[in-house]
Amino acid sequence: MNSTCDSLYTADWLITQNEGRDIIHEAALAVAGDRILCVGHAEVLKILYPEARRVDLGEAVILPGLINAHTHVPMSLLRGYSDDKALQDWLQKDIFPQEAQLTPELVELGARLSMAEMIRYGTTAFYDMYMLEDAVFRAADAMGLRAVLGESTTQFFPSLAAKDFSGYERRVRRYAEEWKNHPRIRQAIVPHAPYTTSPDMLHTCRELADETGSLFGMHLAETEWETEECLRVYGKRPVEYCAQLGLLQPDSTFFHLVDLSEDDIHTLAESRCAGVHNPASNMKLASGVAPLQTLLRAGIPMGLGTDGAASNNAQNMLREIYLASLLQKVHSLDPSACPAQTALDLATRGGAAALHDPYIGSLEPGMKADFIALDLTLPHMQPLHNLISQVVFASNGSEVCLNVVDGIELFRDGQFLNFDYNALRNELRQAQAWIRKS
Amino acid sequence: MNSTCDSLYTADWLITQNEGRDIIHEAALAVAGDRILCVGHAEVLKILYPEARRVDLGEAVILPGLINAHTHVPMSLLRGYSDDKALQDWLQKDIFPQEAQLTPELVELGARLSMAEMIRYGTTAFYDMYMLEDAVFRAADAMGLRAVLGESTTQFFPSLAAKDFSGYERRVRRYAEEWKNHPRIRQAIVPHAPYTTSPDMLHTCRELADETGSLFGMHLAETEWETEECLRVYGKRPVEYCAQLGLLQPDSTFFHLVDLSEDDIHTLAESRCAGVHNPASNMKLASGVAPLQTLLRAGIPMGLGTDGAASNNAQNMLREIYLASLLQKVHSLDPSACPAQTALDLATRGGAAALHDPYIGSLEPGMKADFIALDLTLPHMQPLHNLISQVVFASNGSEVCLNVVDGIELFRDGQFLNFDYNALRNELRQAQAWIRKS
């Protein structure tokens, strides 16, 4: 690692999210290339690195970049297209038919829009699954975010991306070749869900992940309906079904995890796979409430995700953190459930586990320089009694005044720094006419 | 009413929230003094009022100002002071002792901070209850918001505001005299809750409201604990207890309304009183889930409120609207519960009913000129399929680009127009040292 400090960021506060959850007052963060060189007291680091470029953020808090561990970024195009409906109706009647009309150009446009939103509101890394995902690879490469990206598939062919399953296999092998060794992007093999795939397909997908050095992810146990379907068709609950197919591996990540039995949770914990909680989507689609506290107590690494904009309808991780805490409290009727620190952990350290990336999720020497800052001068961030409380319960995302990934500033003081947002809006204006027509 | 149009606001969209819930494309709103002269198509209104001052908001939506129908504005001083605790612990061990140290200066400062936050995030009117409320009257007068304000009391004297109940009576009679005929401010008599007051006191409070021409409000049925206490002490459930004391009148408003029986809801509906839903507070304090849909079906006019910043921890009505919808959906496991339009109604027409003000809550000729605008160009507000969905599910408050009360602009394009926010922050910095010390 480069030991020359390129940039020294100072701010009133810094939340490390390290093992001891240290918070530093009058703090500084030293960046060397794409890595964090060190964090500490501003006065000390200023002496250590007198030559470094200085960025003083003032009355602000620096924290690890937020990790959106489950989303479908192109779905921003369908934001507000269908609301107030149940998952299966929403998916089968409104979303799937609309998605069947998509083109690579539209997928890329939607992906760029979601990434703009995530950059604006403090996300630095995300785990995505969608169709025609090569467009998302291109968008993530261009927009500068860190990402785990997966071409999703069901058993229903021809799909937008392939005329049969071998076509899908060829496609993901091609992605593996094209994107290997990318500094920010990694592939995942992501079949859609147990109820839209066959056992053979799932087994092959898991093998494909191993063979191509990809991660593995899937929607799992999202609703009671899914459990009933799985029991009816395979005679097993979804987790047991997946376990027997060998899908539960330490590099697997399962999204939603709502309708779980105690045995399911035990099985997941034993396998050392990761999970992702999606409170907004689960609430809006009335899927139910994930047993988040039980999952955490069982030792399952849990990330947090927005899900796609069609079921959220934002890509704002600070809103998601707030919801994660409040939903557990009211559901368990225990106000100490999912306290502020736990909620923040989900979106940082937990997200790192869900993306299987040991170099993100906390601000420590040697970690990737993925960090954000929140402006503490805004009315809703005043006065300051408790920094973690302020981030989790008071923020709304608009406080984000800096977003840095791999040491590169993507957003600062209201401005996107590596793309032209007005040009993106113009493209959207044209695409919107297309969407309305279809 | 003045028929000269002073200002003509134009925008791509306008949500009227009138009886028919009309939405106008390429819209204009004409203001005459403190009233709305008319709303309609921009091209028509530009011809009707060629002399008016023009404000073109462009790619934005104008909508009625949001109404925060239950809060405690001075409590912004205690934002993040105590979290992740149950209502009674939180209140008795953390909040009450801290509040006992308050001064009128601190109450006014906290009130001004909450009002700054509300102005920034789209609230134009609120219903407040706290101690030393004269400081809140002064702050609301100065800050330009519309408000129903009440000096709250318990039976525990001496309090900050009075050495005994007669002192309280004198105080509210004085407020009635001092603030009568104010164009934006009205008094309410607001005893704290059934569990902190005596039956005699409540009865006298209701009489005081009638005698002084004030409204009447109280926390009611907030938790199961309150119901149990009320049954233990008075042998009745809280709603029945209040009904028998004559508190349920058409100008009464009850806050929270969580733990209700079918009979309770019937009793509330019969009395024609109003209610206020507080989803964030109910979730964070794990008070439970209000039977919002049953209350609405019973015909009870329901507003929406943030509650104080110590239990929310923001004063952001757009977040509250979102929560209102999502909480009902997940709790009832019905994704069609509390759809977007219903959630928006709570914060506009419902809020007007909870404040007993027939001149706010919709944008129609003759109504007060209380309106806001949201910037639709931000990434999370793109693309636009459904305007109500965008406002309810996608917004986070930072889209608010205009806040007008009584025809006066309080906020526009990131700037507070009628007070110095930096001066307020300086005062807070000094007060914060005081709060930490105590």
Side-chain angles (χ1 to χ4, degrees), chain A residues 77 83-84 312 322 329 377 384-385 389 393 421 432 436, chain B residues 77 83-84 312 319 322 329 377 384-385 389 393 421 432 436:
Chain A
L77 293 185
D83 300 297
D84 303 316
N312 187 304
Y322 178 70
K329 290 178 193 304
T377 69
L384 181 63
H385 291 292
S389 167
F393 297 124
Y421 179 60
Q432 192 156 0
R436 286 226 176 99
Chain B
L77 292 186
D83 300 297
D84 302 315
N312 185 304
R319 180 160 94 170
Y322 179 70
K329 290 179 193 306
T377 68
L384 181 63
H385 291 293
S389 167
F393 296 124
Y421 178 61
Q432 192 156 359
R436 287 227 176 99

PDB file of all heavy atoms in Angstrom, chain A residues 77 83-84 312 322 329 377 384-385 389 393 421 432 436, chain B residues 77 83-84 312 319 322 329 377 384-385 389 393 421 432 436:
ATOM      1  N   LEU A  77     -36.672   3.168 -13.252  1.00  0.00           N
ATOM      2  CA  LEU A  77     -37.549   3.561 -14.365  1.00  0.00           C
ATOM      3  C   LEU A  77     -39.012   3.291 -14.043  1.00  0.00           C
ATOM      4  O   LEU A  77     -39.902   3.891 -14.636  1.00  0.00           O
ATOM      5  CB  LEU A  77     -37.179   2.809 -15.650  1.00  0.00           C
ATOM      6  CG  LEU A  77     -35.833   3.135 -16.277  1.00  0.00           C
ATOM      7  CD1 LEU A  77     -35.695   2.381 -17.589  1.00  0.00           C
ATOM      8  CD2 LEU A  77     -35.678   4.633 -16.497  1.00  0.00           C
ATOM      9  N   ASP A  83     -48.245   0.862  -7.283  1.00  0.00           N
ATOM     10  CA  ASP A  83     -48.112   0.895  -5.824  1.00  0.00           C
ATOM     11  C   ASP A  83     -49.344   0.265  -5.185  1.00  0.00           C
ATOM     12  O   ASP A  83     -50.340   0.013  -5.849  1.00  0.00           O
ATOM     13  CB  ASP A  83     -48.022   2.347  -5.330  1.00  0.00           C
ATOM     14  CG  ASP A  83     -46.843   3.108  -5.911  1.00  0.00           C
ATOM     15  OD1 ASP A  83     -45.700   2.710  -5.633  1.00  0.00           O
ATOM     16  OD2 ASP A  83     -47.071   4.099  -6.630  1.00  0.00           O
ATOM     17  N   ASP A  84     -49.252   0.062  -3.876  1.00  0.00           N
ATOM     18  CA  ASP A  84     -50.402  -0.347  -3.083  1.00  0.00           C
ATOM     19  C   ASP A  84     -50.980  -1.689  -3.536  1.00  0.00           C
ATOM     20  O   ASP A  84     -52.181  -1.929  -3.457  1.00  0.00           O
ATOM     21  CB  ASP A  84     -51.495   0.757  -3.117  1.00  0.00           C
ATOM     22  CG  ASP A  84     -50.972   2.114  -2.619  1.00  0.00           C
ATOM     23  OD1 ASP A  84     -50.268   2.125  -1.585  1.00  0.00           O
ATOM     24  OD2 ASP A  84     -51.259   3.135  -3.252  1.00  0.00           O
ATOM     25  N   ASN A 312     -40.220   0.707  -3.178  1.00  0.00           N
ATOM     26  CA  ASN A 312     -39.570   1.340  -1.996  1.00  0.00           C
ATOM     27  C   ASN A 312     -40.078   2.723  -1.675  1.00  0.00           C
ATOM     28  O   ASN A 312     -40.490   2.894  -0.505  1.00  0.00           O
ATOM     29  CB  ASN A 312     -38.031   1.353  -2.206  1.00  0.00           C
ATOM     30  CG  ASN A 312     -37.328   1.838  -0.962  1.00  0.00           C
ATOM     31  OD1 ASN A 312     -37.577   2.920  -0.454  1.00  0.00           O
ATOM     32  ND2 ASN A 312     -36.448   1.023  -0.392  1.00  0.00           N
ATOM     33  N   TYR A 322     -33.295   3.830   9.272  1.00  0.00           N
ATOM     34  CA  TYR A 322     -34.335   4.303  10.201  1.00  0.00           C
ATOM     35  C   TYR A 322     -35.477   3.291  10.271  1.00  0.00           C
ATOM     36  O   TYR A 322     -35.918   2.896  11.356  1.00  0.00           O
ATOM     37  CB  TYR A 322     -34.825   5.660   9.691  1.00  0.00           C
ATOM     38  CG  TYR A 322     -35.930   6.311  10.479  1.00  0.00           C
ATOM     39  CD1 TYR A 322     -35.691   6.822  11.752  1.00  0.00           C
ATOM     40  CD2 TYR A 322     -37.211   6.452   9.951  1.00  0.00           C
ATOM     41  CE1 TYR A 322     -36.696   7.455  12.469  1.00  0.00           C
ATOM     42  CE2 TYR A 322     -38.217   7.084  10.655  1.00  0.00           C
ATOM     43  CZ  TYR A 322     -37.965   7.579  11.914  1.00  0.00           C
ATOM     44  OH  TYR A 322     -38.961   8.205  12.610  1.00  0.00           O
ATOM     45  N   LYS A 329     -38.858  -2.445  16.432  1.00  0.00           N
ATOM     46  CA  LYS A 329     -39.390  -1.970  17.717  1.00  0.00           C
ATOM     47  C   LYS A 329     -40.901  -2.189  17.786  1.00  0.00           C
ATOM     48  O   LYS A 329     -41.416  -2.748  18.750  1.00  0.00           O
ATOM     49  CB  LYS A 329     -39.080  -0.478  17.905  1.00  0.00           C
ATOM     50  CG  LYS A 329     -37.608  -0.170  18.136  1.00  0.00           C
ATOM     51  CD  LYS A 329     -37.370   1.340  18.276  1.00  0.00           C
ATOM     52  CE  LYS A 329     -35.910   1.721  18.200  1.00  0.00           C
ATOM     53  NZ  LYS A 329     -35.012   1.061  19.153  1.00  0.00           N
ATOM     54  N   THR A 377     -24.995  20.773  10.286  1.00  0.00           N
ATOM     55  CA  THR A 377     -25.497  22.130  10.563  1.00  0.00           C
ATOM     56  C   THR A 377     -26.975  22.295  10.234  1.00  0.00           C
ATOM     57  O   THR A 377     -27.564  23.316  10.575  1.00  0.00           O
ATOM     58  CB  THR A 377     -24.724  23.199   9.750  1.00  0.00           C
ATOM     59  OG1 THR A 377     -25.043  23.053   8.357  1.00  0.00           O
ATOM     60  CG2 THR A 377     -23.223  23.070   9.938  1.00  0.00           C
ATOM     61  N   LEU A 384     -26.680  18.442  18.992  1.00  0.00           N
ATOM     62  CA  LEU A 384     -26.062  17.117  18.918  1.00  0.00           C
ATOM     63  C   LEU A 384     -25.842  16.522  20.317  1.00  0.00           C
ATOM     64  O   LEU A 384     -24.941  16.936  21.030  1.00  0.00           O
ATOM     65  CB  LEU A 384     -24.713  17.226  18.186  1.00  0.00           C
ATOM     66  CG  LEU A 384     -23.954  15.908  18.005  1.00  0.00           C
ATOM     67  CD1 LEU A 384     -24.746  14.939  17.140  1.00  0.00           C
ATOM     68  CD2 LEU A 384     -22.587  16.161  17.378  1.00  0.00           C
ATOM     69  N   HIS A 385     -26.695  15.561  20.668  1.00  0.00           N
ATOM     70  CA  HIS A 385     -26.480  14.830  21.923  1.00  0.00           C
ATOM     71  C   HIS A 385     -25.771  13.509  21.668  1.00  0.00           C
ATOM     72  O   HIS A 385     -24.946  13.071  22.450  1.00  0.00           O
ATOM     73  CB  HIS A 385     -27.818  14.509  22.601  1.00  0.00           C
ATOM     74  CG  HIS A 385     -28.523  15.709  23.124  1.00  0.00           C
ATOM     75  ND1 HIS A 385     -28.057  16.443  24.172  1.00  0.00           N
ATOM     76  CD2 HIS A 385     -29.667  16.312  22.743  1.00  0.00           C
ATOM     77  CE1 HIS A 385     -28.891  17.439  24.425  1.00  0.00           C
ATOM     78  NE2 HIS A 385     -29.868  17.380  23.566  1.00  0.00           N
ATOM     79  N   SER A 389     -27.403   8.311  17.120  1.00  0.00           N
ATOM     80  CA  SER A 389     -28.835   8.591  17.092  1.00  0.00           C
ATOM     81  C   SER A 389     -29.158   9.581  15.977  1.00  0.00           C
ATOM     82  O   SER A 389     -30.140   9.414  15.246  1.00  0.00           O
ATOM     83  CB  SER A 389     -29.274   9.164  18.439  1.00  0.00           C
ATOM     84  OG  SER A 389     -30.569   9.716  18.338  1.00  0.00           O
ATOM     85  N   PHE A 393     -31.736   8.152  13.434  1.00  0.00           N
ATOM     86  CA  PHE A 393     -33.128   8.558  13.654  1.00  0.00           C
ATOM     87  C   PHE A 393     -33.504   9.923  13.070  1.00  0.00           C
ATOM     88  O   PHE A 393     -34.681  10.174  12.816  1.00  0.00           O
ATOM     89  CB  PHE A 393     -33.449   8.563  15.151  1.00  0.00           C
ATOM     90  CG  PHE A 393     -33.357   7.219  15.810  1.00  0.00           C
ATOM     91  CD1 PHE A 393     -32.547   7.012  16.911  1.00  0.00           C
ATOM     92  CD2 PHE A 393     -34.100   6.141  15.329  1.00  0.00           C
ATOM     93  CE1 PHE A 393     -32.467   5.770  17.538  1.00  0.00           C
ATOM     94  CE2 PHE A 393     -34.030   4.895  15.942  1.00  0.00           C
ATOM     95  CZ  PHE A 393     -33.211   4.708  17.046  1.00  0.00           C
ATOM     96  N   TYR A 421     -25.514  15.366 -14.596  1.00  0.00           N
ATOM     97  CA  TYR A 421     -26.869  14.977 -14.201  1.00  0.00           C
ATOM     98  C   TYR A 421     -27.931  15.566 -15.131  1.00  0.00           C
ATOM     99  O   TYR A 421     -28.946  14.935 -15.408  1.00  0.00           O
ATOM    100  CB  TYR A 421     -27.130  15.361 -12.739  1.00  0.00           C
ATOM    101  CG  TYR A 421     -28.527  14.991 -12.294  1.00  0.00           C
ATOM    102  CD1 TYR A 421     -28.944  13.663 -12.330  1.00  0.00           C
ATOM    103  CD2 TYR A 421     -29.430  15.954 -11.887  1.00  0.00           C
ATOM    104  CE1 TYR A 421     -30.232  13.305 -11.961  1.00  0.00           C
ATOM    105  CE2 TYR A 421     -30.725  15.607 -11.516  1.00  0.00           C
ATOM    106  CZ  TYR A 421     -31.121  14.289 -11.558  1.00  0.00           C
ATOM    107  OH  TYR A 421     -32.398  13.942 -11.202  1.00  0.00           O
ATOM    108  N   GLN A 432     -39.026   8.461 -20.781  1.00  0.00           N
ATOM    109  CA  GLN A 432     -40.317   8.465 -20.105  1.00  0.00           C
ATOM    110  C   GLN A 432     -41.466   8.391 -21.105  1.00  0.00           C
ATOM    111  O   GLN A 432     -42.448   7.695 -20.893  1.00  0.00           O
ATOM    112  CB  GLN A 432     -40.444   9.719 -19.245  1.00  0.00           C
ATOM    113  CG  GLN A 432     -41.629   9.636 -18.298  1.00  0.00           C
ATOM    114  CD  GLN A 432     -41.438  10.528 -17.086  1.00  0.00           C
ATOM    115  OE1 GLN A 432     -40.432  11.199 -16.960  1.00  0.00           O
ATOM    116  NE2 GLN A 432     -42.404  10.506 -16.200  1.00  0.00           N
ATOM    117  N   ARG A 436     -44.342   5.473 -20.986  1.00  0.00           N
ATOM    118  CA  ARG A 436     -45.773   5.779 -20.940  1.00  0.00           C
ATOM    119  C   ARG A 436     -46.524   5.112 -22.077  1.00  0.00           C
ATOM    120  O   ARG A 436     -47.635   4.659 -21.927  1.00  0.00           O
ATOM    121  CB  ARG A 436     -45.969   7.296 -21.029  1.00  0.00           C
ATOM    122  CG  ARG A 436     -45.602   8.008 -19.745  1.00  0.00           C
ATOM    123  CD  ARG A 436     -46.666   9.019 -19.356  1.00  0.00           C
ATOM    124  NE  ARG A 436     -46.309   9.614 -18.064  1.00  0.00           N
ATOM    125  CZ  ARG A 436     -45.706  10.792 -17.943  1.00  0.00           C
ATOM    126  NH1 ARG A 436     -45.440  11.514 -18.997  1.00  0.00           N
ATOM    127  NH2 ARG A 436     -45.410  11.255 -16.737  1.00  0.00           N
TER     128      ARG A 436
ATOM    129  N   LEU B  77     -34.755  20.296  21.409  1.00  0.00           N
ATOM    130  CA  LEU B  77     -33.552  20.406  22.251  1.00  0.00           C
ATOM    131  C   LEU B  77     -33.118  19.047  22.784  1.00  0.00           C
ATOM    132  O   LEU B  77     -31.967  18.866  23.160  1.00  0.00           O
ATOM    133  CB  LEU B  77     -33.802  21.349  23.430  1.00  0.00           C
ATOM    134  CG  LEU B  77     -34.005  22.823  23.101  1.00  0.00           C
ATOM    135  CD1 LEU B  77     -34.098  23.617  24.393  1.00  0.00           C
ATOM    136  CD2 LEU B  77     -32.877  23.366  22.228  1.00  0.00           C
ATOM    137  N   ASP B  83     -32.884   7.380  23.482  1.00  0.00           N
ATOM    138  CA  ASP B  83     -33.507   6.568  22.432  1.00  0.00           C
ATOM    139  C   ASP B  83     -33.594   5.120  22.876  1.00  0.00           C
ATOM    140  O   ASP B  83     -32.988   4.745  23.880  1.00  0.00           O
ATOM    141  CB  ASP B  83     -32.654   6.609  21.152  1.00  0.00           C
ATOM    142  CG  ASP B  83     -32.472   8.001  20.593  1.00  0.00           C
ATOM    143  OD1 ASP B  83     -33.477   8.614  20.209  1.00  0.00           O
ATOM    144  OD2 ASP B  83     -31.318   8.464  20.539  1.00  0.00           O
ATOM    145  N   ASP B  84     -34.309   4.344  22.114  1.00  0.00           N
ATOM    146  CA  ASP B  84     -34.342   2.893  22.292  1.00  0.00           C
ATOM    147  C   ASP B  84     -34.878   2.494  23.665  1.00  0.00           C
ATOM    148  O   ASP B  84     -34.465   1.480  24.239  1.00  0.00           O
ATOM    149  CB  ASP B  84     -32.930   2.299  22.061  1.00  0.00           C
ATOM    150  CG  ASP B  84     -32.382   2.638  20.670  1.00  0.00           C
ATOM    151  OD1 ASP B  84     -33.142   2.510  19.694  1.00  0.00           O
ATOM    152  OD2 ASP B  84     -31.213   3.026  20.560  1.00  0.00           O
ATOM    153  N   ASN B 312     -38.794  10.842  17.623  1.00  0.00           N
ATOM    154  CA  ASN B 312     -39.159  10.704  16.203  1.00  0.00           C
ATOM    155  C   ASN B 312     -37.977  10.375  15.301  1.00  0.00           C
ATOM    156  O   ASN B 312     -38.106   9.373  14.598  1.00  0.00           O
ATOM    157  CB  ASN B 312     -39.853  11.993  15.705  1.00  0.00           C
ATOM    158  CG  ASN B 312     -40.351  11.841  14.289  1.00  0.00           C
ATOM    159  OD1 ASN B 312     -39.617  11.516  13.359  1.00  0.00           O
ATOM    160  ND2 ASN B 312     -41.641  12.023  14.081  1.00  0.00           N
ATOM    161  N   ARG B 319     -41.673  12.309   5.732  1.00  0.00           N
ATOM    162  CA  ARG B 319     -41.308  11.003   6.298  1.00  0.00           C
ATOM    163  C   ARG B 319     -42.500  10.376   7.019  1.00  0.00           C
ATOM    164  O   ARG B 319     -42.717   9.167   6.940  1.00  0.00           O
ATOM    165  CB  ARG B 319     -40.124  11.176   7.252  1.00  0.00           C
ATOM    166  CG  ARG B 319     -39.674   9.893   7.882  1.00  0.00           C
ATOM    167  CD  ARG B 319     -38.251   9.986   8.402  1.00  0.00           C
ATOM    168  NE  ARG B 319     -38.182  10.359   9.799  1.00  0.00           N
ATOM    169  CZ  ARG B 319     -37.055  10.326  10.534  1.00  0.00           C
ATOM    170  NH1 ARG B 319     -35.919   9.948   9.993  1.00  0.00           N
ATOM    171  NH2 ARG B 319     -37.049  10.694  11.787  1.00  0.00           N
ATOM    172  N   TYR B 322     -45.041   8.823   4.611  1.00  0.00           N
ATOM    173  CA  TYR B 322     -44.508   7.541   4.107  1.00  0.00           C
ATOM    174  C   TYR B 322     -44.710   6.441   5.150  1.00  0.00           C
ATOM    175  O   TYR B 322     -45.215   5.354   4.850  1.00  0.00           O
ATOM    176  CB  TYR B 322     -43.026   7.748   3.791  1.00  0.00           C
ATOM    177  CG  TYR B 322     -42.278   6.532   3.287  1.00  0.00           C
ATOM    178  CD1 TYR B 322     -42.529   6.005   2.029  1.00  0.00           C
ATOM    179  CD2 TYR B 322     -41.291   5.934   4.060  1.00  0.00           C
ATOM    180  CE1 TYR B 322     -41.811   4.910   1.558  1.00  0.00           C
ATOM    181  CE2 TYR B 322     -40.567   4.843   3.599  1.00  0.00           C
ATOM    182  CZ  TYR B 322     -40.840   4.334   2.342  1.00  0.00           C
ATOM    183  OH  TYR B 322     -40.127   3.257   1.885  1.00  0.00           O
ATOM    184  N   LYS B 329     -49.747  -1.069   5.985  1.00  0.00           N
ATOM    185  CA  LYS B 329     -49.626  -2.188   5.050  1.00  0.00           C
ATOM    186  C   LYS B 329     -49.031  -3.418   5.737  1.00  0.00           C
ATOM    187  O   LYS B 329     -49.565  -4.515   5.652  1.00  0.00           O
ATOM    188  CB  LYS B 329     -48.731  -1.787   3.868  1.00  0.00           C
ATOM    189  CG  LYS B 329     -49.354  -0.776   2.926  1.00  0.00           C
ATOM    190  CD  LYS B 329     -48.384  -0.410   1.798  1.00  0.00           C
ATOM    191  CE  LYS B 329     -48.820   0.817   1.011  1.00  0.00           C
ATOM    192  NZ  LYS B 329     -50.166   0.793   0.455  1.00  0.00           N
ATOM    193  N   THR B 377     -36.986  17.609 -10.043  1.00  0.00           N
ATOM    194  CA  THR B 377     -35.814  17.318 -10.885  1.00  0.00           C
ATOM    195  C   THR B 377     -34.787  16.437 -10.179  1.00  0.00           C
ATOM    196  O   THR B 377     -33.840  15.979 -10.818  1.00  0.00           O
ATOM    197  CB  THR B 377     -35.086  18.613 -11.327  1.00  0.00           C
ATOM    198  OG1 THR B 377     -34.472  19.228 -10.185  1.00  0.00           O
ATOM    199  CG2 THR B 377     -36.045  19.595 -11.970  1.00  0.00           C
ATOM    200  N   LEU B 384     -41.343  10.436 -13.713  1.00  0.00           N
ATOM    201  CA  LEU B 384     -42.641  10.698 -13.079  1.00  0.00           C
ATOM    202  C   LEU B 384     -43.762   9.873 -13.723  1.00  0.00           C
ATOM    203  O   LEU B 384     -44.202  10.178 -14.823  1.00  0.00           O
ATOM    204  CB  LEU B 384     -42.959  12.193 -13.190  1.00  0.00           C
ATOM    205  CG  LEU B 384     -44.278  12.637 -12.557  1.00  0.00           C
ATOM    206  CD1 LEU B 384     -44.277  12.388 -11.062  1.00  0.00           C
ATOM    207  CD2 LEU B 384     -44.543  14.107 -12.852  1.00  0.00           C
ATOM    208  N   HIS B 385     -44.176   8.827 -13.008  1.00  0.00           N
ATOM    209  CA  HIS B 385     -45.337   8.057 -13.472  1.00  0.00           C
ATOM    210  C   HIS B 385     -46.592   8.504 -12.762  1.00  0.00           C
ATOM    211  O   HIS B 385     -47.669   8.550 -13.342  1.00  0.00           O
ATOM    212  CB  HIS B 385     -45.140   6.560 -13.185  1.00  0.00           C
ATOM    213  CG  HIS B 385     -44.087   5.917 -13.999  1.00  0.00           C
ATOM    214  ND1 HIS B 385     -44.199   5.744 -15.349  1.00  0.00           N
ATOM    215  CD2 HIS B 385     -42.888   5.398 -13.669  1.00  0.00           C
ATOM    216  CE1 HIS B 385     -43.120   5.149 -15.814  1.00  0.00           C
ATOM    217  NE2 HIS B 385     -42.305   4.936 -14.807  1.00  0.00           N
ATOM    218  N   SER B 389     -47.883   9.159  -5.805  1.00  0.00           N
ATOM    219  CA  SER B 389     -46.904   8.152  -5.394  1.00  0.00           C
ATOM    220  C   SER B 389     -45.550   8.795  -5.149  1.00  0.00           C
ATOM    221  O   SER B 389     -44.866   8.487  -4.163  1.00  0.00           O
ATOM    222  CB  SER B 389     -46.779   7.077  -6.477  1.00  0.00           C
ATOM    223  OG  SER B 389     -45.641   6.278  -6.245  1.00  0.00           O
ATOM    224  N   PHE B 393     -44.262   8.187  -1.526  1.00  0.00           N
ATOM    225  CA  PHE B 393     -43.322   7.072  -1.367  1.00  0.00           C
ATOM    226  C   PHE B 393     -41.857   7.417  -1.689  1.00  0.00           C
ATOM    227  O   PHE B 393     -40.956   6.749  -1.190  1.00  0.00           O
ATOM    228  CB  PHE B 393     -43.742   5.888  -2.242  1.00  0.00           C
ATOM    229  CG  PHE B 393     -45.066   5.285  -1.869  1.00  0.00           C
ATOM    230  CD1 PHE B 393     -46.090   5.177  -2.799  1.00  0.00           C
ATOM    231  CD2 PHE B 393     -45.297   4.818  -0.578  1.00  0.00           C
ATOM    232  CE1 PHE B 393     -47.313   4.603  -2.465  1.00  0.00           C
ATOM    233  CE2 PHE B 393     -46.523   4.252  -0.226  1.00  0.00           C
ATOM    234  CZ  PHE B 393     -47.530   4.146  -1.168  1.00  0.00           C
ATOM    235  N   TYR B 421     -30.835  31.883  10.144  1.00  0.00           N
ATOM    236  CA  TYR B 421     -30.593  30.538  10.669  1.00  0.00           C
ATOM    237  C   TYR B 421     -29.223  30.434  11.338  1.00  0.00           C
ATOM    238  O   TYR B 421     -29.059  29.717  12.331  1.00  0.00           O
ATOM    239  CB  TYR B 421     -30.757  29.492   9.555  1.00  0.00           C
ATOM    240  CG  TYR B 421     -30.478  28.095  10.047  1.00  0.00           C
ATOM    241  CD1 TYR B 421     -31.252  27.548  11.074  1.00  0.00           C
ATOM    242  CD2 TYR B 421     -29.434  27.332   9.539  1.00  0.00           C
ATOM    243  CE1 TYR B 421     -30.997  26.278  11.570  1.00  0.00           C
ATOM    244  CE2 TYR B 421     -29.170  26.059  10.036  1.00  0.00           C
ATOM    245  CZ  TYR B 421     -29.950  25.543  11.042  1.00  0.00           C
ATOM    246  OH  TYR B 421     -29.693  24.291  11.540  1.00  0.00           O
ATOM    247  N   GLN B 432     -26.557  24.267  24.018  1.00  0.00           N
ATOM    248  CA  GLN B 432     -26.160  22.867  24.082  1.00  0.00           C
ATOM    249  C   GLN B 432     -25.216  22.623  25.254  1.00  0.00           C
ATOM    250  O   GLN B 432     -25.317  21.607  25.933  1.00  0.00           O
ATOM    251  CB  GLN B 432     -25.497  22.469  22.769  1.00  0.00           C
ATOM    252  CG  GLN B 432     -25.311  20.967  22.653  1.00  0.00           C
ATOM    253  CD  GLN B 432     -25.210  20.520  21.217  1.00  0.00           C
ATOM    254  OE1 GLN B 432     -25.302  21.324  20.313  1.00  0.00           O
ATOM    255  NE2 GLN B 432     -25.058  19.230  21.016  1.00  0.00           N
ATOM    256  N   ARG B 436     -25.943  19.787  28.118  1.00  0.00           N
ATOM    257  CA  ARG B 436     -24.990  18.732  28.463  1.00  0.00           C
ATOM    258  C   ARG B 436     -24.646  18.737  29.947  1.00  0.00           C
ATOM    259  O   ARG B 436     -24.483  17.706  30.560  1.00  0.00           O
ATOM    260  CB  ARG B 436     -23.693  18.931  27.666  1.00  0.00           C
ATOM    261  CG  ARG B 436     -23.863  18.562  26.208  1.00  0.00           C
ATOM    262  CD  ARG B 436     -22.718  17.699  25.734  1.00  0.00           C
ATOM    263  NE  ARG B 436     -22.972  17.303  24.357  1.00  0.00           N
ATOM    264  CZ  ARG B 436     -22.423  17.906  23.307  1.00  0.00           C
ATOM    265  NH1 ARG B 436     -21.583  18.896  23.474  1.00  0.00           N
ATOM    266  NH2 ARG B 436     -22.700  17.500  22.083  1.00  0.00           N
TER     267      ARG B 436
END
